[in-house]
Amino acid sequence: MGQFASRRNALVRSVYFSTNEEGPPRYSSHHFDGSTMRGRNLQIPPTIIVSDEELSTSEHHGSRAELRRSSVYSTMDLVPQLGNYANSLPHQTMKSRPSLETLRKTSEVAQVGIDGGTTSDSGSQPEPDVESVESHGASEKAPVRFGWIVGVMVRCMLNIWGVILFLRLSWITSQAGIVLTCVIILMSVVVTTVTALSISAIATNGRVVSGGAYFMISRSLGPEIGGPIGMVFSFANALACALNTVGFAEVVRDLLQEFNAVMTDAVNDVRIVGVITVTILLFITLAGMEWESKAQILFFLVLLISLASYFAGTIIPPPPEKQAVGLFGYQGDIFVENLTPNWRGSEGSFFQMFAIFFPATTGILSGANISGDLKDPATAIPKGTLMAIFWTTITYLLISVTAGACVVRDASGNMSDIIVGNSTEGCVGLACKLGWNFTNCIESQSCRYGLSNSVKVLGQLSGFYYLITAGVFAASLSSALGFLVSAPKVFQCLCKDNIYPYIIYFAKGYGKNSEPLRAYLLCYLISVAFILIAELNTIAALISNFFLCSYCLINFSCFHASITNSPGWRPSFHYYSKWAALFGAMVAAVLMFLFTWWAALVTWCIILFLFGYVNYNKPKVNWGSSVQAGTYNMALSYSVSLTGVEDHVKNFRPQCLVLTGPPNQRPALVDFVACFTKQISLMICGDILLEPERRSRSQDGTDILVKWMNKRKVRSFYTPFTADSIREGAKHLLQATGLGKLKPNTLVLGFKSNWRESTPGSIEDYIKTIYDTFDSNYCLCILRMMDGLDISDDLESEVNQGFEPDEPAEHHDQQPNEDEAADDVSDEDNSDQIKTVFQNSQGKKTIDVYWIADDGGLTLLVPYLFTRRRRWRRCKVRVFIVGDEHNMEEGRNEMIALLKRFRLDVHDVIVMTDIDKRPHPKSLSRFEENVAPFRLFDEQQEGVSMQELRQKAPWNISDKEYEAFKLKSESKVRLNEIIRKNSQHTALVLVSLPVPQSDCPSALYMAWLDTLTCGLHCPAVLIRGNQQNVLTFYCQ
């Protein structure tokens, strides 16, 4: 810290926080006298200031100085800053903090950063302003942003106060009665309130941008669920715009008919008015959100005036003209009479009334759908949505009660039905007590007025009839305008995510608000198309189901995010319950089928089709969804539960640790193991990195290799491990790889094909790794490929890089450099997806199994697993066993009986009776030539002690050792002759691997492995179990 003492005056600034309504604290700085602080002897950490004062004022007008303050630990170790956590914002450059490597560097790096330079790791990029991401500069006019009242509450109330309030609520009250109508309202409110609580929880769990319900569901449940909902929800909003426009057009048509102003006919009048109306609404939306918001406020004021007119009209004493249509003011008898239901017609049932009323509550997502245009969505969405539900619920309940207390169910509208005098003999109905006789129309069921017969009751009760008509206009137009805005907004967000093809064209935004003009036109065309149909009753049922499906998945998103206990689920809105969310999801799903069962089936079929498409294509997005958290929880839970399960031979699976090196350089080895482990057991690709390789490997090398395996559809883990030697790395992987019961029990190696040209040390490493495998009680497979591998020259090696032959010193100039090796790993194009023999269809070839030694059955289990694969299913398995000529048939029958008990489909069993014969001299001479470079020939060298020869070449074979193992060597040569004779062109050959004795020289054992599998034109596998049963013919 002494380095900065003389610069304290120039560097230190007083720091205070300036706040505004739209963002977190801002850092500001002013000069002050540094002697004041020095007098107090305070140790203030140095402050790194990147000021914009020296920059062009025209380019950075209005930008603030960026202040970077270091922590007390190090001058490079910065204090927590907001910009470092803004990396999830779209199209923003992340402000990086110093890496661990930077923090561990010497102090000179820190001095450079303070003296005027900035390091690349210290984060010198401009800090993104999290609260104004959409702004393109202070010089440009800020985009329009709405608060919770105008942006959410007013919009939701306008959509909830729809035409059902004015034209259907009084009729529902006459059918269901006041009590059941209130029950219907409250049941609907329960569903919408629970959904609103779920929306509030999701909206406050991180920053919400544009996209509304689609954004929330997709970021919670992933693109597989979010994509279908985004598509369906956008389409539902476009259809809802058409529906509300048609509702407005029908009211206008009826009004024109009252004044005898018909244009053509009833149907075409609706089409003409509807198209003109939606075109005007389109121009309002194209003018921008500011104009659209002003129009919505105007509609809201009209609705308030119309509601005030209604409530004022209920307390005005009705004149005889109103009494003739059934309006008598507040009457206790009318209230009591209308408490109970009076079902009439085919629609007279509780659930029919519920189905008719519930669409009135589908406006709660109106505020969330324009989340990108809100100042603070996390605050506005919960507060505005819940307040809108509260006030609209009060309104619906009051209108239902007041209408039921003022209006009788049946009235004739005939002024002559007034009772003169006190004679009520033969009079039917409650109106008789009020001085009116509606008996004739009641008995003939021809009444045209009253709660049960007229949809214009609210207008008749109102102080001024046409104010209710204006309210109907405002309700329908505001809903249509809201849906015309929300549908393109949601669809634009879906298009930006590029989940479905051919829709990216509609993702483009225009202006400071990124208005989706193209999506506006698309929504307009859809609305016009359905307006011209002019028969939307069938579509209306689908729309209700689309909204209910959205409610269902929003609630399920909240429940699923809560139940997974992900640390990332931290909503600042705490007034929700995961069980209430689950209840809301179940109720919404049930209501879909109760309302219109066929529409519910159509909705879910569309969702499943779109889900299947996204699930098949697997878009390259990662949103940290709760599905990912749930997958982790299930994997962790099942992995832990497996630890309490005892191993059983019936459940044995070959769980393989495959020493592939970089998997894209060993495709044959990867494909071989994948053939018998995919969707069956565990596969881990181990990559042992020596120090030169670790330095040359790129940082994203692991991700590249994992993507390579995923693209190849290989189900495997990839585990790189840094070690000083191959044997050390393999030994550690054998001990530490795996988790609980998900631990490898089989090691798979590639054969060291050019072992004769390798250094003795590398051969020793290879053989000692085999020793370590058996010492660890692992099974072992060694794959050898001859000329059956179809790969390019630059990827011709099929074994672990560490087990490749080490070139002699004179060939060092031929070795590839580190950059070339790194290029092999980072090859991301299709050139490294090379097809191997294991990916080809094998037809009716044979798989030959030379079961020489009883290893527990692994030698038989692996070929059986191969035949379960589609490409190997038609292959026939032949088993070769050792026997003598006298008991050949008996031994064959015993083996057939054993295989049948194992329930293995074996085509033939062949007894090798000539295994004990002496091999051909030519084969023996070839074996001796292979071993000769590794023999000491100590008995032929006079004057040199055995100890001296051993010190020079401890891995070589002494004459005594060669003679001691001579018979075993000859048996390997003879077995190879039999294999080449019978299995030259089979699909696959599996041979029991001889277990090396502790006194067997490494070079000699390597020669045995080479001899057993040489000369074949098909893949050969040396395989050995760990002497424990992996097959059984018992049921327990």
Side-chain angles (χ1 to χ4, degrees):
M1 294 297 293
Q3 300 177 21
F4 304 103
S6 61
R7 300 177 56 86
R8 183 74 53 87
N9 289 339
L11 290 175
V12 177
R13 304 286 186 268
S14 63
V15 178
Y16 66 89
F17 298 102
S18 64
T19 61
N20 56 36
E21 296 178 355
E22 299 187 10
R26 302 284 193 259
Y27 291 105
S28 301
S29 59
H30 288 279
H31 297 276
F32 74 105
D33 187 2
S35 61
T36 306
M37 300 303 297
R38 286 196 300 270
R40 298 177 186 176
N41 198 23
L42 294 179
Q43 297 294 323
I44 301 176
T47 311
I48 305 172
I49 300 175
V50 181
S51 177
D52 62 345
E53 294 176 358
E54 298 177 0
L55 301 177
S56 173
T57 308
S58 61
E59 292 180 3
H60 299 277
H61 177 68
S63 63
R64 68 177 186 275
E66 182 184 8
L67 185 145
R68 312 297 304 278
R69 182 166 184 170
S70 59
S71 69
V72 296
Y73 296 137
S74 168
T75 56
M76 295 300 297
D77 205 358
L78 303 178
V79 297
Q81 298 182 28
L82 178 67
N84 293 333
Y85 298 90
N87 58 329
S88 60
L89 295 175
H91 313 299
Q92 291 296 308
T93 303
M94 182 182 68
K95 181 180 178 181
S96 61
R97 60 178 65 84
S99 65
L100 291 175
E101 183 180 0
T102 301
L103 293 176
R104 295 185 69 241
K105 289 180 180 178
T106 58
S107 58
E108 284 80 1
V109 177
Q111 179 64 36
V112 171
I114 295 297
D115 288 345
T118 57
T119 63
S120 59
D121 291 313
S122 62
S124 59
Q125 295 110 337
E127 179 182 349
D129 187 353
V130 180
E131 297 298 330
S132 58
V133 176
E134 295 83 357
S135 177
H136 299 290
S139 59
E140 186 179 346
K141 184 179 179 181
V144 178
R145 293 290 182 263
F146 305 112
W148 70 273
I149 296 178
V150 176
V152 181
M153 189 186 76
V154 170
R155 291 178 181 275
C156 291
M157 293 178 70
L158 283 171
N159 279 272
I160 296 173
W161 282 338
V163 292
I164 291 177
L165 173 68
F166 294 99
L167 303 180
R168 287 291 182 270
L169 184 59
S170 59
W171 177 73
I172 294 173
T173 303
S174 72
Q175 292 270 352
I178 296 174
V179 174
L180 290 184
T181 301
C182 292
V183 171
I184 289 173
I185 295 171
L186 294 177
M187 287 177 61
S188 302
V189 169
V190 167
V191 177
T192 55
T193 301
V194 170
T195 306
L197 295 176
S198 299
I199 293 173
S200 302
I202 298 173
T204 57
N205 188 52
R207 187 169 185 266
V208 177
V209 295
S210 61
Y214 160 71
F215 183 87
M216 297 179 189
I217 294 175
S218 62
R219 270 53 177 180
S220 296
L221 293 180
E224 293 83 2
I225 301 296
I229 280 297
M231 188 71 74
V232 168
F233 191 67
S234 301
F235 187 65
N237 276 270
L239 295 188
C241 175
L243 273 177
N244 284 275
T245 304
V246 169
F248 168 78
E250 289 179 349
V251 175
V252 172
R253 178 200 62 191
D254 295 340
L255 194 62
L256 291 175
Q257 288 177 350
E258 291 182 10
F259 294 96
N260 296 321
V262 178
M263 289 180 283
T264 55
D265 55 63
V267 175
N268 287 321
D269 283 0
V270 171
R271 292 171 175 166
I272 294 171
V273 175
V275 171
I276 294 174
T277 303
V278 78
T279 303
I280 294 173
L281 295 179
L282 174 67
F283 286 132
I284 294 175
T285 57
L286 292 178
M289 287 297 296
E290 190 172 359
W291 283 94
E292 187 270 346
S293 177
K294 292 177 180 178
Q296 294 285 30
I297 293 175
L298 176 62
F299 292 144
F300 185 71
L301 293 176
V302 173
L303 274 172
L304 290 180
I305 294 172
S306 64
L307 290 175
S309 174
Y310 165 78
F311 287 113
T314 59
I315 60 177
I316 298 175
E321 292 79 8
K322 287 193 174 183
Q323 291 182 4
V325 296
L327 278 62
F328 295 95
Y330 291 103
Q331 299 289 337
D333 293 338
I334 298 178
F335 178 75
V336 173
E337 176 73 18
N338 289 334
L339 282 176
T340 56
N342 183 16
W343 308 114
R344 300 183 184 184
S346 60
E347 296 180 344
S349 67
F350 178 80
F351 280 107
Q352 284 291 336
M353 296 300 108
F354 194 9
I356 292 172
F357 174 79
F358 189 81
T361 64
T362 56
I364 63 170
L365 296 177
S366 301
N369 286 338
I370 62 161
S371 54
D373 297 298
L374 301 176
K375 290 180 181 178
D376 185 6
T379 302
I381 292 175
K383 189 185 296 185
T385 305
L386 293 174
M387 288 299 292
I389 292 175
F390 174 77
W391 290 116
T392 53
T393 302
I394 296 297
T395 305
Y396 274 104
L397 290 174
L398 287 176
I399 291 178
S400 176
V401 172
T402 54
C406 295
V407 188
V408 295
R409 284 193 168 99
D410 297 293
S412 64
N414 192 347
M415 292 293 295
S416 62
D417 288 337
I418 189 171
I419 299 175
V420 180
N422 296 324
S423 176
T424 59
E425 184 178 353
C427 186
V428 178
L430 183 61
C432 299
K433 299 179 182 180
L434 302 173
W436 290 82
N437 187 357
F438 302 135
T439 304
N440 292 333
C441 75
I442 292 175
E443 290 179 347
S444 63
Q445 298 182 358
S446 60
C447 296
R448 296 186 298 117
Y449 298 97
L451 281 178
S452 298
N453 307 293
S454 175
V455 296
K456 301 178 181 179
V457 170
L458 266 65
Q460 294 164 351
L461 271 175
S462 173
F464 184 64
Y465 177 83
Y466 290 106
L467 281 178
I468 296 299
T469 303
V472 174
F473 287 173
S476 56
L477 290 177
S478 64
S479 297
L481 182 59
F483 289 125
L484 186 60
V485 169
S486 59
K489 294 279 187 182
V490 174
F491 190 64
Q492 182 190 34
C493 185
L494 175 65
C495 296
K496 285 181 178 179
D497 291 335
N498 201 21
I499 295 177
Y500 294 104
Y502 312 121
I503 61 174
I504 190 65
Y505 175 80
F506 299 99
K508 183 175 177 58
Y510 297 86
K512 56 181 180 294
N513 275 53
S514 187
E515 297 290 348
L517 300 186
R518 296 174 179 177
Y520 281 146
L521 293 176
L522 177 64
C523 180
Y524 168 76
L525 294 176
I526 293 174
S527 299
V528 168
F530 283 94
I531 288 171
L532 294 177
I533 294 173
E535 182 57 51
L536 300 179
N537 290 336
T538 301
I539 303 298
L542 277 175
I543 294 174
S544 297
N545 275 271
F546 287 164
F547 280 108
L548 276 171
C549 186
S550 301
Y551 289 0
C552 174
L553 290 178
I554 286 174
N555 283 304
F556 183 75
S557 299
C558 180
F559 166 75
H560 196 268
S562 302
I563 204 69
T564 54
N565 294 321
S566 173
W569 175 250
R570 302 185 305 273
S572 57
F573 182 85
H574 302 292
Y575 304 103
Y576 74 97
S577 169
K578 58 185 177 184
W579 302 115
L582 179 62
F583 170 77
M586 295 174 62
V587 169
V590 170
L591 288 178
M592 291 177 65
F593 287 92
L594 288 179
F595 290 171
T596 316
W597 65 267
W598 63 264
L601 288 178
V602 171
T603 301
W604 286 113
C605 287
I606 294 174
I607 294 293
L608 289 176
F609 173 77
L610 295 173
F611 168 82
Y613 177 85
V614 178
N615 192 54
Y616 177 79
N617 284 284
K618 292 183 173 28
K620 296 179 180 179
V621 294
N622 184 10
W623 295 325
S625 66
S626 61
V627 173
Q628 296 172 337
T631 302
Y632 175 85
N633 281 355
M634 287 190 293
L636 182 62
S637 176
Y638 288 139
S639 299
V640 173
S641 63
L642 272 177
T643 58
V645 178
E646 295 184 4
D647 293 332
H648 195 282
V649 62
K650 290 199 303 182
N651 292 326
F652 175 85
R653 299 163 185 262
Q655 303 186 140
C656 298
L657 169 62
V658 194
L659 297 187
T660 60
N664 62 349
Q665 296 183 18
R666 315 287 183 267
L669 196 58
V670 172
D671 293 340
F672 163 69
V673 181
C675 281
F676 64 89
T677 60
K678 187 176 182 180
Q679 297 180 338
I680 296 174
S681 59
L682 176 69
M683 175 180 174
I684 300 176
C685 291
D687 185 5
I688 302 172
L689 302 175
L690 303 181
E691 191 61 26
E693 293 177 279
R694 188 186 70 82
R695 293 178 179 176
S696 63
R697 181 71 61 88
S698 60
Q699 293 183 354
D700 57 347
T702 298
D703 293 335
I704 292 173
L705 294 173
V706 170
K707 289 178 181 178
W708 180 88
M709 290 191 294
N710 291 337
K711 191 173 182 179
R712 204 172 182 85
K713 297 182 180 180
V714 173
R715 292 197 168 198
S716 174
F717 297 98
Y718 171 71
T719 303
F721 188 87
T722 304
D724 295 333
S725 66
I726 295 298
R727 183 193 176 188
E728 179 188 351
K731 193 171 184 179
H732 285 105
L733 285 175
L734 287 171
Q735 296 177 18
T737 304
L739 180 67
K741 294 288 184 178
L742 296 176
K743 182 179 177 62
N745 53 31
T746 304
L747 180 70
V748 182
L749 301 173
F751 182 74
K752 194 173 182 64
S753 56
N754 295 330
W755 62 278
R756 287 178 294 273
E757 291 80 20
S758 301
T759 59
S762 67
I763 299 177
E764 189 77 6
D765 258 6
Y766 186 83
I767 299 303
K768 292 296 184 183
T769 299
I770 296 177
Y771 293 172
D772 294 336
T773 302
F774 290 128
D775 292 342
S776 301
N777 203 30
Y778 269 57
C779 307
L780 180 63
C781 290
I782 300 176
L783 172 67
R784 182 171 188 176
M785 305 292 296
M786 293 299 180
D787 52 356
L789 182 60
D790 182 18
I791 59 174
S792 58
D793 294 335
D794 58 336
L795 296 175
E796 61 183 354
S797 52
E798 72 279 353
V799 295
N800 187 286
Q801 191 172 11
F803 295 145
E804 282 297 284
D806 295 333
E807 296 293 338
E810 61 267 25
H811 297 300
H812 280 336
D813 57 337
Q814 300 178 6
Q815 292 183 350
N817 57 34
E818 294 179 356
D819 294 335
E820 292 175 351
D823 291 339
D824 289 339
V825 175
S826 60
D827 186 13
E828 287 187 277
D829 57 15
N830 291 330
S831 63
D832 60 354
Q833 292 293 342
I834 299 171
K835 194 170 185 179
T836 65
V837 65
F838 298 103
Q839 294 178 316
N840 296 328
S841 178
Q842 301 301 318
K844 294 184 179 181
K845 293 181 180 180
T846 61
I847 299 177
D848 289 350
V849 181
Y850 290 84
W851 199 15
I852 308 301
D854 187 359
D855 59 349
L858 182 67
T859 308
L860 292 176
L861 180 61
V862 169
Y864 164 73
L865 295 177
F866 260 88
T867 57
R868 292 174 60 174
R869 309 301 300 175
R870 179 173 54 86
R871 295 184 178 91
W872 297 76
R873 189 171 297 161
R874 300 173 65 190
C875 290
K876 298 177 180 179
V877 179
R878 298 189 301 177
V879 176
F880 293 79
I881 59 174
V882 177
D884 54 73
E885 193 171 353
H886 301 289
N887 300 320
M888 181 181 68
E889 196 62 31
E890 181 181 353
R892 183 175 182 273
N893 291 335
E894 288 181 358
M895 179 56 63
I896 291 175
L898 178 62
L899 295 175
K900 284 184 177 179
R901 287 195 171 190
F902 285 151
R903 304 171 303 283
L904 297 174
D905 187 13
V906 175
H907 176 67
D908 195 9
V909 174
I910 301 172
V911 181
M912 298 180 294
T913 58
D914 54 351
I915 189 69
D916 295 329
K917 290 184 179 180
R918 185 174 176 80
H920 194 277
K922 186 176 180 180
S923 300
L924 275 178
S925 63
R926 187 187 303 113
F927 174 78
E928 291 173 355
E929 290 175 2
N930 288 337
V931 176
F934 300 95
R935 292 186 60 181
L936 289 174
F937 296 106
D938 49 300
E939 294 181 359
Q940 301 177 12
Q941 300 185 33
E942 297 179 0
V944 182
S945 65
M946 182 66 181
Q947 289 75 13
E948 292 179 357
L949 293 174
R950 276 296 186 194
Q951 288 178 356
K952 293 180 180 179
W955 45 80
N956 282 358
I957 309 167
S958 66
D959 292 344
K960 184 177 180 181
E961 291 171 335
Y962 184 79
E963 289 299 324
F965 291 102
K966 186 173 183 179
L967 291 178
K968 292 186 177 182
S969 299
E970 291 180 356
S971 67
K972 310 297 189 299
V973 176
R974 177 56 187 160
L975 180 58
N976 174 254
E977 292 178 345
I978 296 174
I979 294 173
R980 283 189 294 167
K981 178 182 178 182
N982 295 284
S983 308
Q984 185 65 249
H985 298 287
T986 58
L988 182 66
V989 174
L990 295 98
V991 185
S992 295
L993 176 73
V995 177
Q997 297 178 357
S998 57
D999 58 345
C1000 180
S1002 299
L1004 181 59
Y1005 184 70
M1006 194 70 227
W1008 288 354
L1009 301 184
D1010 182 38
T1011 299
L1012 281 172
T1013 56
C1014 70
L1016 297 177
H1017 298 285
C1018 63
V1021 180
L1022 294 167
I1023 184 170
R1024 187 74 186 211
N1026 60 357
Q1027 303 302 107
Q1028 296 178 4
N1029 287 348
V1030 301
L1031 297 173
T1032 181
F1033 46 78
Y1034 292 109
C1035 294
Q1036 61 183 15

